Amino acid sequence: MKGFVFHCPGQASWQDVPEPAIEKPTDAIVKVCVVTICGTDLHILRGDVPEVRPGTVLGHEAVGEIVEVGSDVRTVRPGDRVLLSCITSCGRCRFCRDGSYGQCRGGGGWILGHLIDGTQAEYVRVPYADLSAHPLPATVPSEEAVLFADIFPTSYEVGVLNGHVHPGDTLAIVGAGPIGLAAIATSRLFAPERIIAIDMAPSRLEAAHRLGADAVADAHEAPGQMVADLTDGLGADVVIEAVGLPESFELCTRMVRPGGHVANVGVHGKPATLHLEDLWIKNVTITTGLVDTYSTPTLLRLAAAGRLPTGQLVTHTFPLNQMEEAYEVFSKAAETGALKVVLGGEQHAEVAVPAA
Amino acid sequence: MKGFVFHCPGQASWQDVPEPAIEKPTDAIVKVCVVTICGTDLHILRGDVPEVRPGTVLGHEAVGEIVEVGSDVRTVRPGDRVLLSCITSCGRCRFCRDGSYGQCRGGGGWILGHLIDGTQAEYVRVPYADLSAHPLPATVPSEEAVLFADIFPTSYEVGVLNGHVHPGDTLAIVGAGPIGLAAIATSRLFAPERIIAIDMAPSRLEAAHRLGADAVADAHEAPGQMVADLTDGLGADVVIEAVGLPESFELCTRMVRPGGHVANVGVHGKPATLHLEDLWIKNVTITTGLVDTYSTPTLLRLAAAGRLPTGQLVTHTFPLNQMEEAYEVFSKAAETGALKVVLGGEQHAEVAVPAA
Amino acid sequence: MKGFVFHCPGQASWQDVPEPAIEKPTDAIVKVCVVTICGTDLHILRGDVPEVRPGTVLGHEAVGEIVEVGSDVRTVRPGDRVLLSCITSCGRCRFCRDGSYGQCRGGGGWILGHLIDGTQAEYVRVPYADLSAHPLPATVPSEEAVLFADIFPTSYEVGVLNGHVHPGDTLAIVGAGPIGLAAIATSRLFAPERIIAIDMAPSRLEAAHRLGADAVADAHEAPGQMVADLTDGLGADVVIEAVGLPESFELCTRMVRPGGHVANVGVHGKPATLHLEDLWIKNVTITTGLVDTYSTPTLLRLAAAGRLPTGQLVTHTFPLNQMEEAYEVFSKAAETGALKVVLGGEQHAEVAVPAA
Amino acid sequence: MKGFVFHCPGQASWQDVPEPAIEKPTDAIVKVCVVTICGTDLHILRGDVPEVRPGTVLGHEAVGEIVEVGSDVRTVRPGDRVLLSCITSCGRCRFCRDGSYGQCRGGGGWILGHLIDGTQAEYVRVPYADLSAHPLPATVPSEEAVLFADIFPTSYEVGVLNGHVHPGDTLAIVGAGPIGLAAIATSRLFAPERIIAIDMAPSRLEAAHRLGADAVADAHEAPGQMVADLTDGLGADVVIEAVGLPESFELCTRMVRPGGHVANVGVHGKPATLHLEDLWIKNVTITTGLVDTYSTPTLLRLAAAGRLPTGQLVTHTFPLNQMEEAYEVFSKAAETGALKVVLGGEQHAEVAVPAA
């Protein structure tokens, strides 16, 4: 079969790889229907994630069909269409018992396309399939469902729920890439009074407006002042960091009101400065986190009920075998305007059709 | 009457000052029986708190007797023995309605000995007396009750409650000065499995042991390793910062387990480095805060029931008119071993007020 | 001036009454612009609320203009257009400090039109005006704002928040009168997957549909079966009781899933049977409550932002001096189809007050 | 081997039964060292639990040694000394994912000694051993550890945690049998101001005193008045029902303060009357529940640290083969003064020694 293999920083290719097989009684083998590419995959390609060994098939997001299960798999069966979550859960360690699947100590956590072969392939082995593969409601198309492998639960759990968004809140979201945009969509489940999206790219601010931001601000033009003006000088109730840079994190801590929350979602490579000389007295709560995906069944139910605007985040689609082209488009988002790039699915059953 | 007046950085004196009078219908005048000195008072003396104007009477902690009330005071009366809280609450602004008295926008917050004359005097005017003066249970001596003006609610609310201490937790407390020691006492209300106290002064670590720390560690000798060893390498469930320096805050963020809490109580003058490159994936919650004193009635009830070891924190007592000597002893804590220094009270009869 | 005076069970009239005056420094006098009638007012008329003395002016919901304030009122001023809440708060007792204003022990709670003269008059005295009168955003018309005096905060606090409605939940609401309909509107702030409204009156079920119920069920036709069918036999996550009868409460406890919530909002006159022989093992939470109105500022903000469908609940309007006719229409809701009946306001210019 | 077999209401015997064997890859076989008898076992014997089929080995509490594990058991191994919890958890259904193991839909919940053979035998098969058998800290003796199979987590989760006991609370516990006494012990982890225990048996009230109750009241002598007197007429913050009768539940709802919690732990066979005509306005929260045992690891840690007075609850011990005598003593608690009766353990390695 074919898979997208990481060779070394800067080199990866869609090529022949061995078919996966059941290794443990809790494994399943899944035929991949739809996959997507994550910003983290680009980090791996650049060499920023050294624990990914050469030869690993990348990808931690997919929708597929179960084709085989181990002897101890009980909640999914061959033929089931399932969402493969970016997080694998052993279900038995102290973290999994608390629903902190992202911190799993029993062989799970983020392992697909990281410590073991991932989803950007024709078939993939899924450990602990009972807890890591989610049967899909029939009404959610695979091309939309794949967004629930990572960005929807990430923005919801690590941004919206960690940030304690409440009805009537003023919410500022710094960064309107895929995660920030998903945070706009999922925060609206809690009816904030207003959502202010902040980014540098006009195209992303336009997308933020479409997804329901009430106001948008250019990151270069004193967004903190805009938030202060809208809140009688107090600051936002909740600020979500969805960039991953020291300066954007520091902007968040300046924009939050006394008693407010800063929820960090961004993946950071460098330390930030925490201005405790100002913040110690402000009753601020700052949270960080890797997604646990405990909310995935709930979000899928809301998607099936039409409560989440899933479609608007996908800008490009490709057939599965144009993986290299898809990476090219996704990695040059500033030029191509790419948000989420989706591969496979019904419309590419035979041939590639570039999307809008 | 006499009061302790701040003149300029480095200069203050116990001297004649005008007697206070009722200014608003919600004011009370209180005859001071017992006061104490806070680390913040030392900061003011050093010039670190520039909004304190020359001529201000210092002090934000006291026990006294109500001698006069304004026409709209309804819950306390002349003759009542009361605790004067470090935080004044208007009771009507949006923050007070949420119990965030420390963030009061209606003329309260920390104002005594800061923006208006404070408690280190024979009499003091107390704004919003209904919400800011707490009637004392007869069984709590004034010399112990005065600790509930600041350090007990501060350690409890900003440390223990913000840090979500739960039964069975491993708790590390960095800094075993008065606030850190009060955090040991108040965290025991939640039955942690073990409390690890960290400081550089052997005398403080001894005091930590007496107050109930299960283990103590010298800050110079790899306390993080000790915490890791006791927790199978995971780190502490909750870490309380009670120092106020960048390096101690950074130590806290290294010692906390994935999914744990860092509760900052220390007063910081400089920024700290937040290692988001490590923390972004760790599901950590960091909180800051000024005390609100919403817990003061509860803590007083627990003290009356003998559930809090109040007495052990007072190392020195003086009559009220030896204020300058008391500051001297308190400011040289390294030499004198001072924890809390209390002035006035029954044992200093010459300035004592008859108790309730 | 005129007011609607309760004489004895069955008798009340719109008649001359003395104008109110400031009695305490925390009082305000308010010129009433818009009032409404509550189901509780009908109970009083029937003699079900014996503590209402003959001669009392009824009414605990209004929008008006402040015309005079006592010397200690600080947050509202003459000329302000304000909402008069059904709950008065002293702001100083232990319950008010916890935000439990409905349980106020300092002279507040539900007192207007109950223990003191109420709002169904041309002028009304409002005790503790700072905490009990809410300045109104300019964009919320008085005729809609008056619904925030009681039914919106009641349905939100006692139904939706006590019931812990979460995104993705299945919610059943028993009773589609004004409170039940307001519960549909306010529960949607938390994006439930589906709302099932249950009532006996087809007109009310139609109104429920308009306000956003996803399914409606006739109370006579096995609504519990419908809920079971929609939830794989488990039952609803949250059930709100908005009727006030034993049989409707018992229906709620049968329809809730293991681990779910039953939030009682209905005013009950008789005991109900609690089937502990079934429920003891079911992990069910049952809550009761009088509204506290802590959420009123938040709800007004959401109304101003267009997030709540206020207008749809008002079926009849009258000028203020047609109070008796309005009671007639409201008390015969089964015939008239009345939901909320509003008196006064701009469209009834002869008694209207110029808006802010 | 031998086991205690239920034949029909009124008949059970310690007799030969077949040895259990691994049936699924997630099973373990455990050699029983220590067991105890639960009030529920007496209910089964009386025929109150009709789903227990004749021929079933009873018992759902034990400490034992793992002797064999299925191929998919990963967290326990032969030789481990483990606690067998009364609740079995599949770890994969929606309830288990939420930590609601008692409501498991995947073949778990309360099954031992109920739907499958239980622990009152020399060997027992334990399904889902990874989640249902808890490795024991070396410092907790088996005779004490066995109390963590049921009564400690039940009293803690269903009583103390569901009841939201907080530092400074007044707590009333109705029923001072084993569960009520365990509730005294576990509620003290949250430092209530006072615990009031209510029962009819003087010997149980004495035991309540020993375990830390601050006051005890005879259920016949107006315990509600005592609670009112101690709380300025308000009532208790939290009331725990640990009897299981309508009248004791109704007493609980009369003793709770406005805004308080009633946590039902008792197993009820009949409905109770819920006085909604009084309670609708009182902001009361009532909870029910079967234990989930999510707290078992935490409680075992606290026991190992000496924070729970486990030993005081055991009044009688027997060798394992004197099961029938032990049932006799336990079922006549009023005469024998039995609280918990423990069988097996080191002291009975050879021969029965009646305990204190």
Side-chain angles (χ1 to χ4, degrees):
Chain A
M1 69 167 201
K2 298 286 189 184
F4 188 70
V5 177
F6 170 73
H7 299 299
C8 61
Q11 290 202 16
S13 59
W14 180 254
Q15 65 176 70
D16 285 317
V17 290
E19 283 207 16
I22 297 286
E23 298 179 9
K24 296 196 177 171
T26 44
D27 286 348
I29 302 299
V30 173
K31 180 179 197 311
V32 173
C33 308
V34 174
V35 295
T36 179
I37 307 171
C38 182
T40 308
D41 294 322
L42 301 183
H43 278 289
I44 295 171
L45 273 186
R46 281 187 218 115
D48 296 347
V49 189
E51 63 268 31
V52 179
R53 285 164 313 191
T56 303
V57 175
L58 297 187
H60 52 267
E61 304 167 277
V63 170
E65 183 186 324
I66 302 262
V67 292
E68 190 186 351
V69 296
S71 61
D72 191 36
V73 171
R74 279 170 286 128
T75 66
V76 291
R77 294 185 296 200
D80 285 355
R81 188 175 64 120
V82 293
L83 172 69
L84 300 185
S85 174
C86 63
I87 296 297
T88 300
S89 163
C90 84
R92 311 184 194 183
C93 72
R94 67 170 276 184
F95 287 97
C96 284
R97 290 183 202 202
D98 282 349
S100 297
Y101 308 132
Q103 308 292 334
C104 175
R105 291 306 196 258
W110 171 39
I111 57 169
L112 285 172
H114 180 208
L115 307 180
I116 65 172
D117 284 338
T119 59
Q120 291 168 358
E122 293 179 287
Y123 292 87
V124 60
R125 179 180 69 91
V126 178
Y128 302 118
D130 278 327
L131 287 163
S132 313
H134 300 271
L136 280 169
T139 54
V140 182
S142 298
E143 294 81 352
E144 297 183 11
V146 74
L147 303 178
F148 292 84
D150 186 338
I151 66 166
F152 270 96
T154 295
S155 69
Y156 185 58
E157 297 176 10
V158 188
V160 175
L161 295 181
N162 277 3
H164 285 240
V165 176
H166 271 65
D169 277 357
T170 292
L171 169 65
I173 298 175
V174 178
I179 288 282
L181 294 170
I184 293 174
T186 52
S187 68
R188 294 182 71 195
L189 297 171
F190 287 95
E193 182 192 354
R194 65 169 83 81
I195 300 169
I196 304 159
I198 296 160
D199 202 301
M200 292 186 293
S203 66
R204 294 188 158 194
L205 293 178
E206 271 175 50
H209 241 318
R210 277 201 310 278
L211 276 151
D214 300 282
V216 299
D218 188 312
H220 296 306
E221 295 175 6
Q225 191 56 50
M226 183 192 192
V227 168
D229 290 348
L230 286 167
T231 55
D232 295 327
L234 276 183
D237 298 290
V238 183
V239 187
I240 294 177
E241 207 279 355
V243 175
L245 291 173
E247 48 269 36
S248 65
F249 179 81
E250 291 158 22
L251 172 62
C252 292
T253 61
R254 286 195 304 275
M255 291 198 304
V256 69
R257 74 160 169 87
H261 288 255
V262 173
N264 185 79
V265 189
V267 175
H268 291 258
K270 288 185 291 188
T273 300
L274 188 68
H275 286 283
L276 282 174
E277 75 280 17
D278 297 326
L279 293 169
W280 76 266
I281 202 169
K282 256 185 101 175
N283 294 19
V284 167
T285 301
I286 298 168
T287 52
T288 69
L290 180 66
V291 66
D292 290 315
T293 69
Y294 60 80
S295 71
T296 303
T298 299
L299 291 173
L300 287 172
R301 227 161 45 229
L302 286 163
R307 300 273 198 270
L308 284 170
T310 44
Q312 303 180 34
L313 285 165
V314 178
T315 53
H316 299 74
T317 69
F318 296 89
L320 203 54
N321 63 9
Q322 291 186 13
M323 188 66 72
E324 295 174 8
E325 293 81 350
Y327 263 85
E328 182 78 7
V329 164
F330 184 62
S331 67
K332 297 185 174 161
E335 295 163 37
T336 61
L339 292 172
K340 284 301 277 186
V341 167
V342 165
L343 298 101
E346 288 198 15
Q347 68 185 105
H348 293 293
E350 295 301 311
V351 56
V353 183
Chain B
M1 71 166 200
K2 299 287 188 182
F4 188 70
V5 177
F6 170 71
H7 299 299
C8 62
Q11 291 203 12
S13 60
W14 179 254
Q15 64 176 71
D16 285 317
V17 289
E19 283 206 15
I22 297 286
E23 296 179 11
K24 296 196 177 172
T26 44
D27 286 349
I29 302 299
V30 173
K31 180 176 196 324
V32 173
C33 308
V34 173
V35 295
T36 178
I37 306 171
C38 182
T40 308
D41 295 321
L42 301 182
H43 278 289
I44 294 172
L45 273 187
R46 279 187 219 117
D48 295 347
V49 189
E51 64 269 30
V52 179
R53 284 164 316 192
T56 303
V57 174
L58 297 187
H60 51 268
E61 304 167 276
V63 169
E65 183 186 327
I66 303 261
V67 292
E68 190 185 352
V69 296
S71 61
D72 193 36
V73 171
R74 279 171 283 128
T75 65
V76 289
R77 294 185 296 198
D80 285 357
R81 189 174 64 121
V82 294
L83 172 71
L84 301 184
S85 171
C86 62
I87 296 296
T88 299
S89 163
C90 85
R92 310 184 193 184
C93 72
R94 69 169 275 184
F95 287 97
C96 284
R97 289 183 203 201
D98 283 349
S100 297
Y101 308 133
Q103 306 292 333
C104 176
R105 290 309 196 254
W110 171 39
I111 57 168
L112 285 173
H114 180 210
L115 306 179
I116 66 171
D117 285 337
T119 57
Q120 291 167 359
E122 292 179 287
Y123 293 87
V124 59
R125 181 178 69 90
V126 178
Y128 302 119
D130 277 329
L131 287 164
S132 313
H134 300 271
L136 281 169
T139 53
V140 183
S142 299
E143 293 81 353
E144 296 183 12
V146 73
L147 303 178
F148 292 84
D150 186 338
I151 65 165
F152 270 96
T154 295
S155 68
Y156 185 59
E157 298 177 8
V158 187
V160 175
L161 295 181
N162 278 3
H164 285 239
V165 176
H166 272 64
D169 278 356
T170 292
L171 169 65
I173 298 176
V174 178
I179 288 282
L181 294 172
I184 293 173
T186 52
S187 69
R188 294 183 70 196
L189 297 171
F190 287 95
E193 182 190 355
R194 66 169 81 83
I195 301 170
I196 303 159
I198 297 159
D199 202 299
M200 293 185 291
S203 66
R204 296 189 157 193
L205 293 178
E206 269 175 52
H209 240 319
R210 277 200 311 277
L211 275 150
D214 301 284
V216 298
D218 188 312
H220 296 306
E221 295 174 6
Q225 192 55 48
M226 182 192 191
V227 169
D229 290 347
L230 286 168
T231 56
D232 294 326
L234 276 183
D237 299 290
V238 183
V239 187
I240 294 178
E241 206 280 353
V243 174
L245 291 173
E247 49 270 37
S248 64
F249 179 82
E250 292 157 21
L251 171 63
C252 291
T253 61
R254 285 196 303 276
M255 290 196 306
V256 69
R257 73 162 170 87
H261 288 256
V262 174
N264 185 77
V265 189
V267 175
H268 291 258
K270 288 186 289 187
T273 300
L274 188 68
H275 287 283
L276 284 173
E277 76 280 15
D278 298 323
L279 294 170
W280 78 267
I281 202 170
K282 256 184 101 174
N283 293 21
V284 167
T285 301
I286 298 168
T287 52
T288 69
L290 179 66
V291 64
D292 290 316
T293 68
Y294 60 80
S295 70
T296 303
T298 300
L299 292 174
L300 287 172
R301 228 163 41 231
L302 286 163
R307 298 274 200 268
L308 285 169
T310 45
Q312 304 181 33
L313 285 164
V314 179
T315 53
H316 298 75
T317 67
F318 296 88
L320 201 54
N321 60 9
Q322 291 186 11
M323 187 67 72
E324 296 175 8
E325 291 81 350
Y327 264 86
E328 182 76 8
V329 164
F330 185 61
S331 66
K332 297 184 173 162
E335 296 163 35
T336 61
L339 292 171
K340 286 300 277 187
V341 166
V342 166
L343 300 99
E346 288 198 17
Q347 67 187 106
H348 294 291
E350 64 271 37
V351 290
V353 174
Chain C
M1 72 165 199
K2 298 287 189 184
F4 188 70
V5 177
F6 171 71
H7 299 300
C8 61
Q11 289 202 14
S13 61
W14 178 254
Q15 64 175 69
D16 284 319
V17 290
E19 282 206 14
I22 297 286
E23 297 178 10
K24 295 197 177 171
T26 44
D27 287 348
I29 302 300
V30 172
K31 181 178 197 319
V32 173
C33 307
V34 173
V35 295
T36 181
I37 306 172
C38 182
T40 308
D41 294 323
L42 301 181
H43 278 289
I44 295 172
L45 272 187
R46 282 187 216 117
D48 296 347
V49 190
E51 63 269 31
V52 179
R53 286 163 314 189
T56 303
V57 174
L58 298 186
H60 51 267
E61 305 168 277
V63 169
E65 184 186 326
I66 303 261
V67 292
E68 190 185 351
V69 296
S71 61
D72 192 36
V73 172
R74 277 170 286 128
T75 66
V76 290
R77 292 184 297 196
D80 285 356
R81 189 174 65 119
V82 294
L83 171 70
L84 300 185
S85 173
C86 62
I87 296 296
T88 300
S89 163
C90 84
R92 310 183 194 184
C93 72
R94 69 170 272 184
F95 287 97
C96 284
R97 289 184 203 201
D98 281 349
S100 297
Y101 307 133
Q103 307 292 335
C104 176
R105 290 309 197 255
W110 173 37
I111 57 168
L112 285 173
H114 180 211
L115 307 180
I116 66 171
D117 285 338
T119 59
Q120 291 167 0
E122 292 180 288
Y123 291 87
V124 60
R125 180 179 69 92
V126 178
Y128 302 118
D130 277 328
L131 287 165
S132 312
H134 299 271
L136 281 168
T139 53
V140 182
S142 298
E143 293 82 353
E144 298 184 10
V146 74
L147 303 177
F148 292 84
D150 187 336
I151 65 166
F152 270 97
T154 295
S155 68
Y156 185 59
E157 296 176 10
V158 188
V160 176
L161 295 182
N162 278 2
H164 285 241
V165 177
H166 270 65
D169 277 357
T170 292
L171 169 66
I173 298 176
V174 179
I179 287 282
L181 295 171
I184 293 173
T186 53
S187 69
R188 295 181 71 197
L189 297 171
F190 286 96
E193 181 190 355
R194 64 169 82 83
I195 301 170
I196 303 159
I198 296 160
D199 202 300
M200 293 185 292
S203 66
R204 294 189 159 195
L205 292 177
E206 272 175 49
H209 239 321
R210 279 201 309 279
L211 275 150
D214 301 283
V216 299
D218 189 312
H220 296 304
E221 295 175 5
Q225 191 55 50
M226 182 191 190
V227 169
D229 290 347
L230 287 168
T231 56
D232 295 327
L234 276 184
D237 299 290
V238 183
V239 188
I240 294 178
E241 207 279 354
V243 175
L245 291 172
E247 48 271 37
S248 64
F249 179 82
E250 291 157 22
L251 172 62
C252 292
T253 61
R254 285 196 303 276
M255 292 195 306
V256 69
R257 73 162 170 86
H261 288 255
V262 173
N264 184 78
V265 190
V267 176
H268 291 258
K270 288 186 290 188
T273 300
L274 188 68
H275 287 283
L276 283 173
E277 75 279 16
D278 297 325
L279 294 169
W280 76 267
I281 203 170
K282 256 184 101 175
N283 293 23
V284 167
T285 301
I286 298 170
T287 52
T288 70
L290 178 67
V291 65
D292 290 315
T293 70
Y294 61 79
S295 70
T296 304
T298 299
L299 291 173
L300 287 172
R301 228 164 41 231
L302 286 163
R307 298 276 198 268
L308 286 169
T310 46
Q312 303 181 34
L313 285 164
V314 178
T315 54
H316 298 74
T317 68
F318 295 89
L320 202 55
N321 60 10
Q322 291 186 12
M323 187 67 72
E324 295 174 9
E325 292 82 349
Y327 263 86
E328 182 77 9
V329 164
F330 185 62
S331 66
K332 299 184 172 162
E335 296 164 36
T336 61
L339 291 172
K340 284 302 275 185
V341 166
V342 165
L343 299 101
E346 288 199 15
Q347 67 187 107
H348 294 292
E350 64 272 34
V351 289
V353 172
Chain D
M1 70 166 201
K2 299 286 188 182
F4 187 70
V5 176
F6 170 72
H7 300 300
C8 61
Q11 290 202 14
S13 59
W14 179 255
Q15 64 176 71
D16 283 318
V17 290
E19 282 207 16
I22 296 286
E23 298 179 10
K24 296 197 178 173
T26 44
D27 287 348
I29 302 299
V30 173
K31 178 179 199 316
V32 174
C33 308
V34 174
V35 294
T36 178
I37 306 172
C38 182
T40 308
D41 295 322
L42 300 183
H43 279 288
I44 295 171
L45 272 187
R46 283 187 216 115
D48 296 346
V49 189
E51 64 268 30
V52 179
R53 286 165 314 194
T56 304
V57 173
L58 299 186
H60 52 268
E61 306 166 275
V63 170
E65 183 186 325
I66 304 260
V67 292
E68 189 185 353
V69 296
S71 62
D72 192 35
V73 171
R74 280 171 284 126
T75 66
V76 290
R77 294 185 295 199
D80 285 356
R81 188 175 64 120
V82 294
L83 172 70
L84 300 185
S85 174
C86 62
I87 297 297
T88 299
S89 163
C90 85
R92 311 184 193 184
C93 72
R94 68 170 274 183
F95 287 97
C96 285
R97 290 184 204 202
D98 282 349
S100 297
Y101 308 131
Q103 308 292 334
C104 176
R105 290 308 195 256
W110 172 38
I111 57 169
L112 284 173
H114 180 208
L115 308 179
I116 66 172
D117 285 337
T119 58
Q120 291 167 358
E122 293 178 288
Y123 291 87
V124 60
R125 181 180 68 91
V126 178
Y128 302 119
D130 277 329
L131 287 164
S132 313
H134 300 270
L136 281 169
T139 54
V140 183
S142 298
E143 293 83 352
E144 297 183 11
V146 75
L147 303 179
F148 292 84
D150 188 337
I151 65 165
F152 270 96
T154 295
S155 68
Y156 185 59
E157 296 177 10
V158 188
V160 175
L161 295 181
N162 278 3
H164 285 242
V165 177
H166 270 65
D169 278 357
T170 292
L171 168 65
I173 298 176
V174 179
I179 288 282
L181 294 171
I184 293 173
T186 53
S187 68
R188 293 182 72 195
L189 297 171
F190 287 95
E193 182 192 354
R194 64 169 84 81
I195 301 170
I196 303 159
I198 297 160
D199 202 299
M200 293 186 292
S203 66
R204 293 188 161 196
L205 293 178
E206 269 174 50
H209 240 320
R210 277 202 308 278
L211 275 150
D214 301 283
V216 298
D218 188 312
H220 296 306
E221 296 176 4
Q225 191 56 47
M226 183 193 191
V227 169
D229 290 346
L230 286 168
T231 57
D232 295 326
L234 276 181
D237 299 291
V238 182
V239 188
I240 294 177
E241 207 280 353
V243 176
L245 291 172
E247 48 269 36
S248 65
F249 179 80
E250 293 157 23
L251 172 63
C252 292
T253 62
R254 285 197 304 277
M255 291 196 306
V256 70
R257 73 161 171 87
H261 289 254
V262 174
N264 184 77
V265 190
V267 176
H268 291 258
K270 289 186 290 187
T273 300
L274 189 67
H275 287 282
L276 282 173
E277 75 281 16
D278 298 324
L279 293 169
W280 77 266
I281 202 170
K282 256 184 99 173
N283 294 21
V284 166
T285 301
I286 297 169
T287 52
T288 69
L290 180 66
V291 67
D292 291 315
T293 68
Y294 60 80
S295 70
T296 303
T298 300
L299 290 173
L300 286 173
R301 228 165 39 232
L302 286 163
R307 299 275 198 268
L308 285 168
T310 45
Q312 305 181 32
L313 286 163
V314 179
T315 52
H316 299 72
T317 68
F318 295 89
L320 202 54
N321 62 8
Q322 291 187 10
M323 188 67 72
E324 296 174 8
E325 291 82 349
Y327 264 84
E328 182 78 6
V329 164
F330 184 61
S331 66
K332 298 184 173 162
E335 296 164 37
T336 61
L339 292 171
K340 286 300 277 187
V341 166
V342 166
L343 299 99
E346 288 199 14
Q347 68 186 109
H348 295 291
E350 295 301 309
V351 56
V353 183

